[in-house]
Amino acid sequence: MSSGPSAAAGSTAAALRHVLSHLVTPLLMCIGMGLAYLGAFHAPEPHELRVDVVGSGPSAQVLAQTLQDKGDGALSVHTVPDRAAAVNHLKTQASYGAYLPGKHPELLVARAASDTSATVVEKIFTKVAAEHGHPLKVTDTAPTADGDPTGQGIFFLLVAVSIGSYASVAVIGGAGAVLPLRIRAALTAAASLVVSLIGAVFAGPLFGLVDHGLGGLWAMAWLYSAGILLIGVGLHTFLKRWTTLGVMVLFVMLNFTSSGGIFRPELQPGFFGALHSFWNGAGFVEGVRSHVYFGGHALGRNVLVLVVGLAVMGAAGLVEARRRKVAVEAAPAGAAGGTVEAGAAQGRGRHVRAEARTEVDDEEELEGELEEELEEAVGV
């Protein structure tokens, strides 16, 4: 009789330990999201933001030097000989504003490269023109599509494709863990295709984020999504239930904040600016911008994340093959021991029933872990 209360207490304690151990993940997510998002976005300020002053005479040189000195590191001011050179710099994203001084001053920007950077530049040169008593004319040399007036729709498309991709990792990596690696790779290709098609529908017919180049955008979305899935499913072999947190760090916390979709690296702390130079989210955002608005200039970094994903999947395949080999080598010894201990049909029957119960317990445990992974992945 006394075993009842103690057993119940033990069961409650075990359940409490289970809950507390799984609370670690959301708490780490909270800390990580706060550090990443607030660290990247809470106080955007320009540093070494490249702008041009159009002109080759002494007055242009003096103006450029004055702005450089007053900026105290905020601006990187250069002079260019004429308007054509300034437009070319904007088209290749070598600069984010070009000022033409005179009685009718004009500022050239390219909002498709970054609306926030263009706004910062416009604010700076509006003051410069006002100091000389002239109103400033602003010309946008690379306007965005009508369905994306701020140019930030590409960033939110990145968010949708990323969430669809990394949440799929929990399904393929968790529920599909018992499947051969080649089947998981095929599921990865199929899931990323579906996610990219959904993204293309968002970008084109549904919201009109782009008015041309939709096919190229879809191709980049597929490569980007496949890269996330390949890396995530490959990492599941090593990280197990920590895969969701690991993928979230890689493709949400560090990815969204360094993508340049809201603020370009020139307006962010140096850490996120450094990530922007090679992280996959930045590759997607800048790749789409380049393809749609800048004639494909400097396009091509998205392929790298797919290569990385294939490498991770390959490593996972080697590890799983080694684990299977060890299991196969250990099986004969285990089977012989079981035969000696059983000794009779009744013993073998008990052994089979025990194995069946174990399989059921393992399956229930796997389902529970998968459900937890899905809740963590989708609940963010």
Side-chain angles (χ1 to χ4, degrees):
M1 297 292 292
S2 59
S3 63
S6 61
S11 176
T12 300
L16 183 59
R17 284 195 299 271
H18 179 77
V19 171
L20 292 177
S21 68
H22 282 77
L23 276 175
V24 173
T25 298
L27 292 176
L28 289 175
M29 287 180 175
C30 176
I31 294 171
M33 293 289 283
L35 290 174
Y37 276 78
L38 292 175
F41 297 146
H42 83 288
E45 291 184 357
H47 52 88
E48 296 297 321
L49 181 64
R50 168 68 187 264
V51 294
D52 292 333
V53 173
V54 180
S56 55
S59 60
Q61 295 287 346
V62 170
L63 176 59
Q65 189 60 52
T66 301
L67 290 171
Q68 182 75 41
D69 295 339
K70 285 184 176 181
D72 193 24
L75 301 176
S76 176
V77 188
H78 298 256
T79 58
V80 294
D82 51 40
R83 183 189 182 96
V87 171
N88 181 64
H89 280 182
L90 291 168
K91 292 288 187 180
T92 58
Q93 300 182 62
S95 74
Y96 296 94
Y99 181 68
L100 288 77
K103 293 183 178 180
H104 302 284
E106 182 181 8
L107 176 66
L108 308 178
V109 296
R111 294 197 179 276
S114 172
D115 182 72
T116 51
S117 295
T119 300
V120 169
V121 171
E122 184 177 343
K123 182 178 180 181
I124 291 170
F125 283 102
T126 297
K127 291 181 179 179
V128 172
E131 289 174 358
H132 294 84
H134 302 302
L136 180 66
K137 175 185 177 183
V138 180
T139 301
D140 188 359
T141 63
T144 58
D146 292 340
D148 187 19
T150 66
Q152 295 177 5
I154 294 173
F155 169 76
F156 293 107
L157 177 64
L158 167 75
V159 172
V161 173
S162 299
I163 296 299
S165 302
Y166 101 86
S168 298
V169 169
V171 178
I172 299 174
V178 296
L179 296 172
L181 191 66
R182 66 180 183 277
I183 296 181
R184 277 176 283 158
L187 289 173
T188 292
S192 60
L193 172 61
V194 174
V195 169
S196 67
L197 288 172
I198 293 172
V201 171
F202 288 159
L206 193 56
F207 294 110
L209 302 180
V210 298
D211 50 20
H212 65 279
L214 185 59
L217 180 149
W218 161 74
M220 281 185 278
W222 192 4
L223 284 175
Y224 173 74
S225 177
I228 291 178
L229 276 156
L230 285 169
I231 292 173
V233 173
L235 285 177
H236 200 281
T237 299
F238 306 96
L239 301 181
K240 303 299 182 185
R241 64 175 290 260
W242 296 104
T243 303
T244 296
L245 179 60
V247 175
M248 185 181 177
V249 170
L250 292 175
F251 302 122
V252 175
M253 296 178 189
L254 299 180
N255 198 20
F256 297 167
T257 52
S258 65
S259 68
I262 301 297
F263 299 113
R264 282 194 54 80
E266 295 83 4
L267 299 180
Q268 292 186 291
F271 172 72
F272 298 98
L275 289 181
H276 181 85
S277 64
F278 65 91
W279 216 254
N280 65 320
F284 176 75
V285 170
E286 298 296 351
V288 171
R289 285 172 173 167
S290 174
H291 169 66
V292 176
Y293 298 116
F294 298 103
H297 175 74
L299 185 63
R301 287 187 299 170
N302 261 9
V303 178
L304 294 179
V305 72
L306 184 59
V307 174
V308 173
L310 291 172
V312 174
M313 283 287 278
L318 293 175
V319 170
E320 291 179 10
R322 186 165 63 247
R323 289 174 181 173
R324 285 195 300 271
K325 182 179 179 181
V326 171
V328 169
E329 290 174 350
T339 302
V340 171
E341 290 178 5
Q346 183 179 0
R348 287 194 297 271
R350 287 196 300 270
H351 184 66
V352 170
R353 287 193 296 273
E355 285 186 343
R357 286 195 298 273
T358 301
E359 287 182 7
V360 171
D361 292 341
D362 289 345
E363 190 172 320
E364 290 176 350
E365 183 179 354
L366 179 62
E367 289 178 355
E369 290 181 355
L370 173 60
E371 185 176 345
E372 289 164 357
E373 281 192 55
L374 285 171
E375 289 174 352
E376 291 170 355
V378 178
V380 176

